[in-house]
Amino acid sequence: MDLLSTLRAAVGADAVLTDPDVTAAYRRDMMPLAPYGEPLAVVLPTSTEQVQAVVRACAEHRTPIVPRGAGSGLSGAANAIDGCVVLALTRMNRILEIDPDNRLAVVEPGVVNLDLRDAVEKHGLFYPPDPSSYDWCTIGGNVSTNAGGLCCVKYGVTTDAILGLEVVLADGELLRTGRRTVKGVAGYDLTKLFIGSEGTLGVVTQATLALRPLPQAPGTTVAAFPSIVAAGAAVSRIVREGIVPSLMEIMDAASIEAVEAHLNTEVGAGRGSAALLICQSDSGREAARRELAAIEQVCADSGADLVHTTFDLAEGRMLLTARRAVLMALEVYGAWMTDDVCVPRTRIAELIAGCELISAEVGLRIAVVGHAGDGNMHPTIVYDPTSADEFARAQRAFDDILALGLSLGGTVTGEHGIGKVKREWLANEIGPVGLRTHRAIKAALDPGNLFNPGSMFSPAPAASSPDAP
Amino acid sequence: MDLLSTLRAAVGADAVLTDPDVTAAYRRDMMPLAPYGEPLAVVLPTSTEQVQAVVRACAEHRTPIVPRGAGSGLSGAANAIDGCVVLALTRMNRILEIDPDNRLAVVEPGVVNLDLRDAVEKHGLFYPPDPSSYDWCTIGGNVSTNAGGLCCVKYGVTTDAILGLEVVLADGELLRTGRRTVKGVAGYDLTKLFIGSEGTLGVVTQATLALRPLPQAPGTTVAAFPSIVAAGAAVSRIVREGIVPSLMEIMDAASIEAVEAHLNTEVGAGRGSAALLICQSDSGREAARRELAAIEQVCADSGADLVHTTFDLAEGRMLLTARRAVLMALEVYGAWMTDDVCVPRTRIAELIAGCELISAEVGLRIAVVGHAGDGNMHPTIVYDPTSADEFARAQRAFDDILALGLSLGGTVTGEHGIGKVKREWLANEIGPVGLRTHRAIKAALDPGNLFNPGSMFSPAPAASSPDAP
């Protein structure tokens, strides 16, 4: 039987898509720089057994599998390669269990992050990881990329919220990792090895999640600074003084300017602020007041032009709107590609200053927004998508920002991943011994290079070009 | 050149111990059930380069290496096997860096946990993992076992506090994993793969640690219960109500009785309490008062005979003394071996009740103490070390407790590890696919089975018997 017939027998004919007009929607994620190809088929399983059957069939036919969730990724990790089977887990979207007494949930990979958040909130529980795409990204994608978000400064990233996984391996066998208990050290931590492996080691078909008590409604402090050095100093002092806000975001002048134009309102201090810091504390009334008062003081001492704190929820949400609106605000000026570097928190100001220089060098607008609380910055480059020259300059800026992040003691990806867009940079960061170790583990678990070849560190497969005009 | 000469050339003659009277102190850890053998030599390197030279020499001579720290382990993971080189990292004990502005430290593996705690406390910082042996265990050992402690309920375990590692691999090459930034997803999470790998994948020669702000001085609540069911119900309700104490320990009747006899004071409610719950909150004055008041209420509602809260630090410390004194108190009755299972927090009462049954069946005293906040229980079996029969019954109880833990949805080790004493139980818990995956990773990173053969899941090497009389 040929592969397509086997796949149709395994999952049903309506769950195997081959019409290029239909499969086009499954060819790529949100990263314009990453190459993508033409899949043989897109398969939409509804059970673990179906995933096993698909994996076995593809293994037999030596056809690569690219697992994917909603496609909100920003590294091309879920991009199709020519002739592959795209295994889209979006129909496996059931919340199988919520156990409030043990603060855990068991879910399929296609559950949308926001749907999970809403479901557990009814039990007074909280699933922390909140990538910006939380209203459409899936838990499976979050697991595969070890997704972060705005809450990480206090609550950590996806790997901190996963107790165990069910993974279909390259031979179609089902591996169960981890446990349902809070602690456990029985064997290697395979759970955390699969988290962030970007679909290169297996297909996650189930996850057991550790939940937290729902935090208190947050208070919000906004501070506008006349220089990024002053804002960076405030961040360092907040860290040093032992304050742990539940959110601490930074916007540079280019972000502020774009958002002010977009929202037609002033979000800085009224005369072109150089940086805006938005902090929240959800520690409960008195503690939040104390924490935000301390943050206000630090900001004032660091030279802020304006500091404002509110415990009004609606106002707090509105203040966060400025931060959340940056990408949309930039679309007025052209297409954007967002970079992702994480630097030591003491080096944030240097990173932003460096991005200003890069912006001047390449002659393109670069707006920096980021999670100041953990040093994870997203410099976002704006370019004209119809100009090959601007695209090339944007690509150059993208790489220059990564080099800058590394030179500041940082990493080339804080939360978006390597995918198909930072493979050389991964090699650069982890060096030959690190690369060899990665290859040894990949070969041990996926000797036929079945899963997501060409992603992360394996040789690039044949694929069409990135979005160059 | 023979191996010993090569080792002496590499680390100096005084750092290669071969006198059996001297090496005896390096043959085993604190677990009486685990087998141990006679090493060829104990080597005490003082630098990463020396570790690399030792690993290369041993690889060339096909001589197994057993890495070890202080030897406080409770699974036999650091026990020597016949003819091996014990690589003791205790002389690599420098704190290389403390960076308060980025809340991190870089240390060598031989640094004693308490020494690190004291050093970072001077900067207002906190290294959470606090195994009971914290005043003599080493960070390297903590990393290798993914050690927990009393703080885990709020602050997590060792893997939650490590940003990156330096590891000498089986070919002597140096692998750097992780990063100095708070977040990072560049490649597989090799850091967390090595954490808890019990010396089977490489030798950790450096660790970069994530520190937290020093918490507030804790308040303490003690509650005595007339039944373990009532105490278990209180734990479940504390979890369900979203309270996260910084410590929540439980002691059963046998523990209370032993400690009361040992300290010659009453720690229960005056007439043979069935269980004692000790909770702390370090959330700061008002929040701690609120949290402990809520815990008091839950305990009273669950039927506690006595509930007492103090914010006096000395009194709080004294109340914790009862918990910390259990093992010493048991020594009056014989030798002890402590087990380590972790169950869902709703099943703690069933585990303790089951241990009472096992105690009756084997005719030996079993005292249960444990970290109620995360379900990690340490049933401790007391036996006469001169009686082969009692030793055999203790062994049976040890295994019966593991079977009970598994049957309650738990794991066979919450924090002590597999080592040489729970190999069959690991296989039992993770199943054939899990085992195959472990073996594939081990073979990929250590194809010659150089590191700690016979530990965790690899075939047992020739070794002398456990401590059977």
Side-chain angles (χ1 to χ4, degrees):
Chain A
M1 201 146 60
D2 70 8
L3 178 56
L4 286 177
S5 307
T6 309
L7 293 174
R8 288 190 185 106
V11 299
D14 64 327
V16 180
L17 315 177
T18 53
D19 177 349
D21 288 346
V22 179
T23 60
Y26 295 88
R27 287 174 67 187
R28 52 175 303 187
D29 68 10
M30 301 293 286
M31 165 47 72
L33 281 180
Y36 57 93
E38 187 70 61
L40 170 74
V42 174
V43 179
L44 295 147
T46 53
S47 71
T48 298
E49 292 70 27
Q50 287 189 358
V51 173
Q52 291 181 281
V54 170
V55 168
R56 286 193 173 113
C58 290
E60 199 189 318
H61 289 82
R62 297 179 182 280
T63 299
I65 295 173
V66 178
R68 76 176 262 144
S72 62
L74 288 159
S75 71
N79 282 14
I81 57 174
D82 282 338
C84 79
V85 165
V86 169
L87 190 56
L89 283 304
T90 41
R91 287 189 188 171
M92 290 181 66
N93 62 354
R94 290 176 303 163
I95 295 175
L96 301 171
E97 182 188 351
I98 296 173
D99 177 352
D101 287 353
N102 288 300
R103 281 194 209 133
L104 62 82
V106 182
V107 305
E108 290 184 333
V111 171
V112 169
N113 183 297
L114 181 60
D115 292 342
L116 172 72
R117 307 175 80 75
D118 287 346
V120 303
E121 193 173 323
K122 292 191 182 89
H123 299 273
L125 293 168
F126 174 49
Y127 176 70
D130 62 342
S132 294
S133 55
Y134 71 101
D135 53 351
W136 66 293
C137 65
T138 62
I139 298 299
N142 294 173
V143 166
S144 296
T145 56
N146 192 13
L150 273 58
C151 73
C152 308
V153 55
K154 183 164 179 178
Y155 297 110
V157 295
T158 300
T159 198
D160 301 307
I162 309 286
L163 294 173
L165 296 172
E166 208 185 77
V167 184
V168 175
L169 299 175
D171 58 4
E173 292 288 321
L174 188 64
L175 172 71
R176 287 191 181 82
T177 74
R179 54 192 196 275
R180 287 171 65 93
T181 55
V182 181
K183 286 160 75 178
V185 291
Y188 299 155
D189 198 338
L190 298 181
T191 307
K192 292 186 194 295
L193 178 64
F194 282 97
I195 295 170
S197 64
E198 302 185 5
T200 63
L201 296 179
V203 182
V204 173
T205 56
Q206 200 180 95
T208 303
L209 315 175
L211 306 172
R212 286 171 178 267
L214 197 62
Q216 305 288 310
T220 306
T221 296
V222 178
F225 294 86
S227 73
I228 49 166
V229 170
V235 170
S236 288
R237 262 201 58 197
I238 289 167
V239 173
R240 186 168 355 129
E241 295 203 358
I243 308 164
V244 182
S246 55
L247 176 151
M248 178 153 68
E249 297 287 307
I250 196 166
M251 294 167 57
D252 73 345
S255 307
I256 296 168
E257 187 197 330
V259 166
E260 286 185 334
H262 177 66
L263 299 177
N264 197 22
T265 182
E266 213 164 71
V267 302
R271 45 177 176 80
S273 291
L276 204 68
L277 205 58
I278 308 170
C279 303
Q280 290 193 324
S281 168
D282 61 6
S283 302
R285 209 70 184 170
E286 308 95 1
R289 275 186 197 283
R290 209 172 37 241
E291 282 171 13
L292 294 180
I295 288 174
E296 276 201 345
Q297 189 60 52
V298 167
C299 291
D301 290 351
S302 305
D305 292 323
L306 172 151
V307 188
H308 173 65
T309 295
T310 180
F311 288 89
D312 182 90
L313 267 186
E315 195 191 351
R317 221 173 284 130
M318 219 182 61
L319 292 171
L320 251 191
T321 303
R323 160 66 181 91
R324 293 200 187 272
V326 172
L327 291 186
M328 195 173 296
L330 290 173
E331 287 181 359
V332 176
Y333 307 106
W336 51 257
M337 61 177 79
T338 195
D339 214 332
D340 169 47
V341 287
C342 194
V343 294
R345 288 169 284 196
T346 45
R347 316 299 292 272
I348 291 172
E350 287 164 86
L351 183 88
I352 296 177
C355 287
E356 282 179 14
L357 286 179
I358 294 168
S359 167
E361 278 165 23
V362 299
L364 293 175
R365 186 185 297 259
I366 300 178
V368 184
V369 288
H371 316 305
D374 44 46
N376 189 189
M377 297 291 114
H378 296 306
T380 302
I381 307 150
V382 183
Y383 64 99
D384 175 356
T386 65
S387 156
D389 173 55
E390 286 214 2
F391 186 80
R393 281 186 278 144
Q395 252 180 319
R396 194 185 127 201
F398 190 87
D399 283 342
D400 287 351
I401 290 165
L402 298 178
L404 172 63
L406 276 182
S407 77
L408 294 172
T411 169
V412 296
T413 173
E415 59 185 8
H416 293 172
I418 298 297
K420 296 181 176 73
V421 85
K422 290 185 182 173
R423 291 187 306 120
E424 289 76 15
W425 286 102
L426 175 69
N428 206 336
E429 180 168 332
I430 67 177
V433 179
L435 210 55
R436 219 164 57 221
T437 306
H438 275 75
R439 289 194 172 123
I441 291 172
K442 167 76 169 169
L445 298 190
D446 180 17
N449 200 15
L450 183 68
F451 293 123
N452 217 357
S455 240
M456 281 190 120
F457 55 84
S458 54
S464 63
S465 291
D467 273 2
Chain B
M1 200 148 58
D2 70 8
L3 178 56
L4 286 177
S5 306
T6 309
L7 293 174
R8 287 189 186 109
V11 299
D14 63 327
V16 179
L17 315 177
T18 53
D19 177 348
D21 288 345
V22 179
T23 61
Y26 296 88
R27 288 174 66 185
R28 52 176 303 188
D29 68 9
M30 300 294 286
M31 165 47 73
L33 281 178
Y36 56 92
E38 187 70 60
L40 170 73
V42 174
V43 179
L44 295 148
T46 51
S47 73
T48 298
E49 293 70 28
Q50 288 189 357
V51 173
Q52 291 180 280
V54 170
V55 168
R56 288 193 172 115
C58 289
E60 200 190 317
H61 288 83
R62 298 180 182 281
T63 299
I65 295 173
V66 177
R68 77 176 261 148
S72 62
L74 288 159
S75 72
N79 283 13
I81 57 174
D82 283 337
C84 78
V85 164
V86 170
L87 191 55
L89 282 305
T90 40
R91 287 190 188 169
M92 289 180 67
N93 62 354
R94 290 175 303 164
I95 297 175
L96 301 172
E97 182 187 351
I98 297 173
D99 176 351
D101 287 355
N102 289 298
R103 280 193 208 134
L104 62 82
V106 182
V107 304
E108 291 184 331
V111 171
V112 169
N113 184 297
L114 181 60
D115 291 342
L116 174 71
R117 308 175 81 74
D118 287 345
V120 302
E121 195 174 321
K122 293 192 182 88
H123 298 272
L125 293 167
F126 175 49
Y127 176 72
D130 61 342
S132 295
S133 55
Y134 70 101
D135 53 351
W136 66 292
C137 66
T138 63
I139 298 299
N142 295 173
V143 167
S144 296
T145 56
N146 192 12
L150 272 59
C151 72
C152 308
V153 55
K154 183 163 180 180
Y155 296 109
V157 295
T158 300
T159 197
D160 301 307
I162 308 285
L163 294 173
L165 296 174
E166 208 186 76
V167 184
V168 175
L169 299 175
D171 58 4
E173 291 288 321
L174 189 64
L175 173 71
R176 288 191 181 80
T177 75
R179 53 192 196 275
R180 287 172 65 94
T181 57
V182 180
K183 287 161 75 179
V185 292
Y188 298 156
D189 198 339
L190 299 181
T191 307
K192 291 185 194 297
L193 178 63
F194 281 97
I195 294 171
S197 64
E198 303 186 2
T200 63
L201 296 178
V203 182
V204 173
T205 55
Q206 199 179 98
T208 302
L209 316 174
L211 306 173
R212 288 173 177 265
L214 197 62
Q216 304 287 313
T220 307
T221 296
V222 178
F225 294 86
S227 74
I228 50 166
V229 170
V235 170
S236 288
R237 264 200 58 200
I238 289 168
V239 174
R240 186 169 353 128
E241 296 204 356
I243 308 165
V244 182
S246 55
L247 176 151
M248 179 153 68
E249 298 287 308
I250 196 165
M251 293 167 58
D252 73 346
S255 306
I256 297 169
E257 189 196 329
V259 166
E260 288 186 333
H262 177 66
L263 299 178
N264 197 22
T265 181
E266 213 163 73
V267 302
R271 44 176 178 79
S273 293
L276 203 69
L277 205 58
I278 309 170
C279 302
Q280 291 193 326
S281 168
D282 62 6
S283 302
R285 208 70 186 172
E286 309 93 2
R289 276 186 197 282
R290 210 173 34 243
E291 282 172 14
L292 294 180
I295 287 174
E296 275 200 345
Q297 189 61 52
V298 167
C299 290
D301 290 352
S302 305
D305 293 322
L306 171 151
V307 188
H308 172 67
T309 295
T310 180
F311 288 88
D312 182 271
L313 268 186
E315 195 189 351
R317 221 173 283 130
M318 219 182 62
L319 293 170
L320 250 190
T321 303
R323 161 65 181 92
R324 293 202 187 271
V326 172
L327 292 186
M328 196 174 293
L330 290 173
E331 287 181 359
V332 176
Y333 307 106
W336 51 258
M337 61 176 80
T338 194
D339 215 333
D340 169 48
V341 288
C342 193
V343 295
R345 286 169 286 195
T346 46
R347 315 301 292 272
I348 291 172
E350 287 163 86
L351 183 88
I352 296 177
C355 286
E356 282 180 13
L357 287 178
I358 293 168
S359 167
E361 277 165 24
V362 300
L364 293 175
R365 185 185 299 258
I366 301 180
V368 184
V369 287
H371 315 306
D374 45 46
N376 189 187
M377 297 290 115
H378 297 305
T380 302
I381 308 150
V382 183
Y383 64 99
D384 174 355
T386 65
S387 155
D389 173 57
E390 286 214 2
F391 186 79
R393 281 187 277 145
Q395 253 181 320
R396 193 184 128 202
F398 189 87
D399 282 343
D400 288 351
I401 290 165
L402 297 178
L404 172 63
L406 276 182
S407 77
L408 294 172
T411 170
V412 296
T413 173
E415 59 184 8
H416 293 171
I418 298 297
K420 297 182 176 73
V421 84
K422 289 185 182 174
R423 291 187 308 121
E424 290 76 14
W425 287 101
L426 175 69
N428 206 336
E429 179 168 330
I430 66 177
V433 179
L435 210 54
R436 219 165 55 223
T437 307
H438 275 75
R439 290 195 172 124
I441 291 171
K442 167 76 171 171
L445 297 191
D446 180 17
N449 200 16
L450 183 68
F451 293 122
N452 217 355
S455 240
M456 280 190 118
F457 55 84
S458 55
S464 62
S465 293
D467 273 1

